[in-house]
Amino acid sequence: MMKGHCLCGDIRWACSGTPSWNALCHCDSCRRACSAPVVACIGARRDQVAWSGAEPAIYRSSARVERLFCPRCGSALAFRGEGFPDEIFLYAGSLENPGDYRPDLHTHYGERVGWLALKDNLPHITGSNEKATS
């Protein structure tokens, strides 16, 4: 079981089962939501995730995407989208043991920042509807 929480600890999450994928997201929206050059995400079924403590606040960042965060400390925790009605994408930075995270691929690679040099052999998905390439 994976567990995570926000910076202040008011909101906690637990995810049972195996994630559907672990991705490094380079999209402009995730970068801005997390103030990071790349965001590590964990894809899981919504019914695998249990929240405890305070309720996450929700910001609708676009017509089809909601971002969950702690209203007290501001920690970004997850996002969910209408295009993936049964999934939620947890931010790996909120994991209790972030060193256990291992990404499977890069997504929205075409939006990456040019100055960030990542040296791995993970597949790249340029946009949201493209197949991964190595």
Side-chain angles (χ1 to χ4, degrees):
M1 174 164 308
M2 293 180 293
K3 295 181 179 183
H5 58 84
C6 63
L7 179 62
C8 70
D10 277 1
I11 301 174
R12 297 188 171 277
W13 58 264
C15 180
S16 61
T18 303
S20 51
W21 55 262
N22 294 320
L24 297 174
C25 185
H26 296 271
C27 82
D28 182 68
S29 295
C30 281
R31 287 196 327 261
R32 289 183 187 281
C34 295
S35 294
V38 64
V39 178
C41 300
I42 303 161
R45 288 192 338 259
R46 288 188 192 191
D47 63 2
Q48 290 179 305
V49 178
W51 297 91
S52 61
E55 287 291 317
I58 299 171
Y59 172 67
R60 185 168 282 277
S61 62
S62 70
R64 301 185 66 206
V65 173
E66 295 178 333
R67 297 190 180 269
L68 286 68
F69 65 97
C70 177
R72 181 173 176 218
C73 67
S75 295
L77 296 167
F79 76 92
R80 55 190 179 205
E82 291 176 10
F84 306 96
D86 298 326
E87 288 187 276
I88 189 165
F89 306 94
L90 303 159
Y91 294 129
S94 67
L95 279 166
E96 288 184 357
N97 298 306
D100 293 343
Y101 176 82
R102 297 288 181 263
D104 300 323
L105 60 98
H106 292 270
T107 188
H108 296 280
Y109 196 73
E111 295 181 49
R112 73 191 179 282
V113 294
W115 51 262
L116 181 64
L118 298 173
K119 300 189 187 304
D120 61 44
N121 294 318
L122 297 174
H124 301 158
I125 298 175
T126 303
S128 58
N129 296 320
E130 298 182 30
K131 293 183 179 178
T133 60
S134 297

